[in-house]
Amino acid sequence: MSNKRVLSGIQPTGNLHLGNYLGAIKNFVAMQNEFQCFYMLADLHALTIKTQPKNLKESILNTAASFLAAGIDSKKNVIFCQSKVSSHAELSWILNCIARIGWLSRMTQFKEKAGSNKEKASVGLYTYPILMSADILIYKATHVPVGDDQKQHLELCRDIATKFNTDYENNYFALPEPIIPKFVARVMSLRDGCKKMSKSDESDLSRINLTDTKDQIVQKIKKAKTDSDPINENIFEKNSKRYEAQNLIKIYSNLKSETLDTVLNNFNGKTFYDFKKELSELLVEKICPISEKIKQYRSDDKELINILKIGSEKANDTAEKTILEIKKIVGLL
Ligand code: TYM
């Protein structure tokens, strides 16, 4: 087994969508043959925003089913719930004492999520990137596949690891590399090309869920915002404001594994009416088999829970070794 190790996670809040798939899960699947991979349901992170306990439980099972349905192999990889490995929370506390308040204050995702009333946001939402750093460092992960929106959190993780190495033990932590997809690092909302596709957007029309049916996908693409100009190379010119058009073309290019130039050439001069038909077909071809498999996995929750249990045991074996070393390094008995 190579000494390259992957850790990544997804919050089990609501349905996973095309952004999670293209930004993260596709890379999770691609990396499983080359790396030792830990894929985590970030259920403790899900508590940073108020959730109904019943909904959280459902989302945990749905997310686990989505991982498997998208092609993550539970025999090759460790699939587990963050809350079942207590060393994450323990290391998070130690890293809280290493990270600086100034570093956290710069996190743009906190500013976006907390909105205008920061005083009312949970402390967990603020310290969230420190728990995320603990998730990565407890496995001494070398590579972290994420969408572009998590880049800043990864930079923070590297800063924390560097300070730990400087304060306590040189080279203890390797600095983890973010693995961010080149072409669609950030999938945008189907209703607003300047907003990220997100589970929390009020409009379900803004996203393609991995559980959507063929009819829902076709409807959503039909209603997706575009402009009235034909497709041509100016879509990606420097000052182009055709954000919605850019988003749809990038989604198509990623799913079809074709370069942007090829896609632009093939559709040059055509309208979005024609393009949307082909995009819908492609999405149905790629997403519907996943949604079918999610249903199949959800029809046997006992098996899903068993997979998570086996994963948690494996994750614990690795994480416990690290936390014991770290406690010793920082001087705890
Ligand atoms: P979360 O649950 O918000 O998103 C999960 C993954 O999906 C990516 N993603 C997107 N990529 C492209 N376009 C989009 N519109 C889009 N929306 C989401 C995210 O970048 C992410 O990779 N903090 C993390 C979860 C986490 C984690 C970790 C990740 C907890 N601990 C340790 C990596 C390592 C989060 O909230 O992701």
Side-chain angles (χ1 to χ4, degrees):
M1 181 62 73
S2 83
N3 57 6
K4 294 182 198 166
R5 192 182 275 168
V6 166
L7 174 289
S8 197
I10 295 196
Q11 287 192 67
T13 43
N15 284 320
L16 297 193
H17 51 70
L18 189 68
N20 300 126
Y21 180 65
L22 297 183
I25 297 176
K26 242 183 118 178
N27 266 343
F28 292 5
V29 176
M31 294 175 95
Q32 64 186 350
N33 294 324
E34 200 193 330
F35 293 73
Q36 184 189 16
C37 302
F38 291 79
Y39 293 132
M40 178 189 80
L41 310 180
D43 52 357
L44 293 176
H45 276 110
L47 297 176
T48 56
I49 290 192
K50 199 160 183 250
T51 352
Q52 293 298 328
K54 214 176 89 202
N55 294 348
L56 178 56
K57 218 169 154 188
E58 266 301 288
S59 292
I60 290 172
L61 293 170
N62 276 340
T63 308
S66 306
F67 276 17
L68 298 168
I72 300 175
D73 183 340
S74 64
K75 298 226 161 59
K76 273 192 200 153
N77 307 284
V78 182
I79 303 177
F80 69 103
C81 284
Q82 183 186 36
S83 64
K84 297 285 184 201
V85 185
S86 53
S87 324
H88 289 237
E90 283 186 83
L91 179 57
S92 181
W93 178 256
I94 295 173
L95 301 184
N96 262 303
C97 300
I98 288 177
R100 306 290 94 182
I101 289 176
W103 300 354
L104 274 187
S105 306
R106 287 194 282 276
M107 294 297 112
T108 50
Q109 199 167 82
F110 172 75
K111 291 180 195 157
E112 281 162 24
K113 286 196 176 175
S116 53
N117 200 347
K118 290 192 189 54
E119 299 291 313
K120 287 261 165 78
S122 74
V123 176
L125 191 65
Y126 187 65
T127 57
Y128 167 122
I130 298 183
L131 176 59
M132 183 165 160
S133 302
D135 299 333
I136 297 166
L137 298 177
I138 198 82
Y139 299 99
K140 299 183 182 166
T142 52
H143 295 78
V144 185
V146 281
D148 175 68
D149 61 330
Q150 297 299 320
K151 198 170 162 196
Q152 198 186 28
H153 292 160
L154 257 292
E155 281 158 12
L156 179 83
C157 175
R158 289 166 64 93
D159 288 344
I160 292 176
T162 304
K163 186 159 164 55
F164 182 94
N165 290 349
T166 312
D167 288 357
Y168 291 106
E169 188 168 311
N170 257 343
N171 301 325
Y172 179 73
F173 288 124
L175 301 188
E177 290 292 333
I179 305 291
I180 297 175
K182 260 197 199 132
F183 295 120
V184 264
R186 197 178 282 236
V187 179
M188 308 311 276
S189 157
L190 299 178
R191 307 296 292 166
D192 178 349
C194 296
K195 251 170 81 180
K196 191 179 77 168
M197 184 177 284
S198 145
K199 296 170 203 156
S200 56
D201 195 312
E202 275 174 19
S203 167
D204 195 51
L205 290 175
S206 68
R207 62 186 161 258
I208 304 286
N209 301 306
L210 295 189
T211 48
D212 280 347
T213 60
K214 178 179 174 195
D215 288 351
Q216 283 171 316
I217 292 174
V218 172
Q219 271 310 311
K220 285 178 181 180
I221 295 301
K222 222 183 227 170
K223 295 202 164 152
K225 194 173 162 199
T226 40
D227 52 55
S228 50
D229 290 347
I231 294 176
N232 54 35
E233 65 280 4
N234 81 15
I235 289 179
F236 289 102
E237 270 172 10
K238 208 166 167 224
N239 295 323
S240 161
K241 294 212 164 40
R242 301 180 68 184
Y243 305 119
E244 287 82 14
Q246 290 171 357
N247 189 37
L248 294 186
I249 304 264
K250 283 184 184 175
I251 291 173
Y252 183 94
S253 133
N254 184 301
L255 288 171
K256 190 87 178 168
S257 302
E258 284 179 358
T259 64
L260 291 177
D261 281 347
T262 308
V263 179
L264 289 177
N265 270 337
N266 290 346
F267 287 94
N268 191 25
K270 292 201 175 148
T271 65
F272 272 95
Y273 178 79
D274 296 319
F275 175 79
K276 280 179 166 187
K277 274 195 212 154
E278 301 228 13
L279 177 60
S280 294
E281 272 175 30
L282 188 57
L283 278 163
V284 167
E285 182 194 317
K286 300 285 180 189
I287 302 297
C288 288
I290 298 179
S291 63
E292 276 309 309
K293 283 192 197 147
I294 293 176
K295 270 196 229 141
Q296 284 167 21
Y297 281 111
R298 277 312 309 269
S299 66
D300 188 356
D301 284 350
K302 256 194 179 162
E303 176 55 16
L304 269 183
I305 290 168
N306 192 40
I307 289 173
L308 292 175
K309 185 168 172 278
I310 294 169
S312 303
E313 284 163 5
K314 287 188 191 158
N316 256 307
D317 284 348
T318 306
E320 267 175 15
K321 284 190 193 115
T322 313
I323 197 71
L324 286 176
E325 283 174 7
I326 292 174
K327 282 181 178 171
K328 207 167 151 201
I329 290 172
V330 300
L332 297 171
L333 281 184

